[in-house]
Amino acid sequence: MEQPAYQAALKSAAQMLSRSDAELDKLMTPDRIIQADIAVQLDGGETVFFPALRVQHNSARGPYKGGIRFHSQVDVDEVKILASLMTWKCAVVDIPFGGAKGGVKVDPKKLSQLELERLTRGYVQAFVKHIGPNQDVPAPDINTNEQTMAWMMDEYSRIKGHQMHDFVTGKPIALFGSKGRELATSLGGKFILDLMIEHFKITKRPIQVAIQGIGNVGGGLAKLLGLDPRYKLVAISDSQGGIYRPTGLEVAEVFEHKKTTGSLAGFHYSHDITNAELLELDVDVLIPAALEDQITADNADHVKAKLILELANNPITASGDAILNNRGIPVVPDILANAGGVTVSYFEWAQNRQGWYWEEGEVNGRLQKSMLAAGQKVIKISEEKKVSLRVAAFLLSLERVDQAMHLRGKLVGHN
Ligand code: GLU
């Protein structure tokens, strides 16, 4: 696995803030890694074990927080990176959580709904001692959704013997999830995109955008761009490949085509492209919104976009990031660009604890305020210190996490 971009940025930020190697080491190491094999009885009666884990990175600023993914590629090193990103992400947007991430090594497409339900309940049973509304609050991530969260909430409440809505976020509205949560990562990303377009004075209209990924996050942003005449979506992909039309894709028709044919390929008046080709298109804005490690030393030289917005977690490796920096292509880092999801997760948790629910306009208004406050701070630091947006975001979040650790007496030895 290549070094992720965030580790290089965290090191630079730590050096600029004169942090010792011992402190940096502490900040890079998770507090706890919990692993279990989850036994699931398949519909045919056979029992299969699925390796599962939860990595709790840092809780200096509040309960651990982060999603749980179901994916055949899940491994401990990857989940450690993702857990750490959650710590820095929550600190950038200044919400009272630490960072965690969980995963189950499974191809969920191979399981029935009942098998998935048993696996999800098994996850809660395996980790129940370590998770909870004041301890560690799970949420959806890749291949998990509001139904997964509903099962988790139900299982946790069953074990504890009373109703605990605040145990997970990203629940269905009917089970007191938050209005606006489903679209929150995409909407938060759109607020940051608008801010960056203005900051980098990209005056061309319409702005051509390519999105890698049409899941909840990438697909949500595609729909938002379709409503804003300043932007034109020219390319989008799913895990099998993508489509490209330089004059623009009709967003609603793309979704209809995928729904009826099960694929993006063959969409009218567009070219079929691979995911690798999408990353190298001549567009104004490139938005990786799928998996990790998409832009590396192998392809960063071929990226033609003028701005990159990381809606996925960890889509660019350290060597890819260094090349983009040298080429002067600004990258809006994941810990800022995709923080809208966890921000509204915080609103959901707060609403659950109060038992008092907000209208969607209030949720979105508060989200906008949080995202813009964080985005403007990151821009200011990057201009003042003459560093990339990624290093600026780490300077901001590192100071916040570090301060919390010092005040708690958990980190010593810097001036
Ligand atoms: N999985 C999402 C992320 O990576 C959301 C996490 C959450 O809401 O806790 O940011």
Side-chain angles (χ1 to χ4, degrees), residues 224-242:
L224 291 171
L225 295 179
L227 301 173
D228 186 335
R230 290 175 299 170
Y231 297 94
K232 187 167 277 184
L233 180 76
V234 294
I236 192 157
S237 62
D238 62 18
S239 59
Q240 303 307 307

Side-chain angles (χ1 to χ4, degrees), residues 65-67 86 89 101 137 139-141 169 181 313 338 341-342 345:
K65 183 85 191 81
M86 287 308 301
K89 192 186 299 191
K101 199 75 157 202
V137 184
D141 198 78
T169 59
R181 175 64 185 86
N313 288 313
N338 73 28
V342 75
S345 275

Side-chain angles (χ1 to χ4, degrees), residues 193-378:
L193 177 61
D194 292 346
L195 181 73
M196 294 297 169
I197 290 297
E198 204 180 299
H199 172 65
F200 289 108
K201 300 188 175 49
I202 300 181
T203 49
K204 189 185 148 205
R205 296 291 181 270
I207 297 163
Q208 291 192 316
V209 184
I211 302 181
Q212 185 192 43
I214 194 173
N216 180 37
V217 175
L221 185 66
K223 286 178 191 157
L224 291 171
L225 295 179
L227 301 173
D228 186 335
R230 290 175 299 170
Y231 297 94
K232 187 167 277 184
L233 180 76
V234 294
I236 192 157
S237 62
D238 62 18
S239 59
Q240 303 307 307
I243 48 173
Y244 174 48
R245 191 199 300 166
T247 53
L249 297 162
E250 194 47 62
V251 177
E253 287 179 18
V254 170
F255 278 93
E256 193 50 43
H257 175 79
K258 177 151 165 86
K259 204 171 142 197
T260 46
T261 68
S263 143
L264 288 169
F267 183 65
H268 59 95
Y269 306 119
S270 69
H271 315 285
D272 291 349
I273 52 171
T274 63
N275 264 297
E277 285 166 344
L278 182 141
L279 300 172
E280 299 179 12
L281 289 175
D282 189 3
V283 292
D284 301 306
V285 179
L286 172 63
I287 304 183
L291 288 171
E292 294 82 32
D293 296 339
Q294 297 301 300
I295 302 177
T296 66
D298 294 338
N299 60 357
D301 267 324
H302 306 141
V303 168
K304 296 181 196 65
K306 291 162 197 71
L307 175 72
I308 299 177
L309 185 87
E310 292 185 327
L311 266 200
N313 288 313
N314 193 30
I316 304 182
T317 64
S319 47
D321 205 41
I323 294 171
L324 295 170
N325 272 332
N326 286 338
R327 294 184 55 214
I329 300 175
V331 177
V332 189
D334 44 11
I335 61 167
L336 172 65
N338 73 28
V342 75
T343 300
V344 177
S345 275
Y346 163 51
F347 299 161
E348 179 173 337
W349 180 78
Q351 290 170 76
N352 290 151
R353 289 165 89 88
Q354 272 189 309
W356 183 252
Y357 291 88
W358 312 349
E359 290 307 324
E360 189 162 349
E362 184 172 357
V363 173
N364 292 347
R366 284 177 186 261
L367 173 65
Q368 182 171 28
K369 214 171 139 201
S370 295
M371 296 304 293
L372 292 184
Q376 279 152 356
K377 281 202 178 79
V378 169

Side-chain angles (χ1 to χ4, degrees), residues 70-117:
F70 289 173
H71 200 277
S72 48
Q73 307 286 314
V74 161
D75 81 343
V76 63
D77 288 331
E78 182 208 27
V79 180
K80 271 161 74 177
I81 293 168
L82 297 166
S84 171
L85 284 174
M86 287 308 301
T87 300
W88 312 114
K89 192 186 299 191
C90 292
V92 164
V93 281
D94 206 10
I95 58 175
F97 288 121
K101 199 75 157 202
V104 180
K105 197 171 166 59
V106 59
D107 179 356
K109 291 194 185 96
K110 294 201 173 127
L111 298 190
S112 69
Q113 275 294 97
L114 278 173
E115 290 164 345
L116 278 175
E117 179 176 343

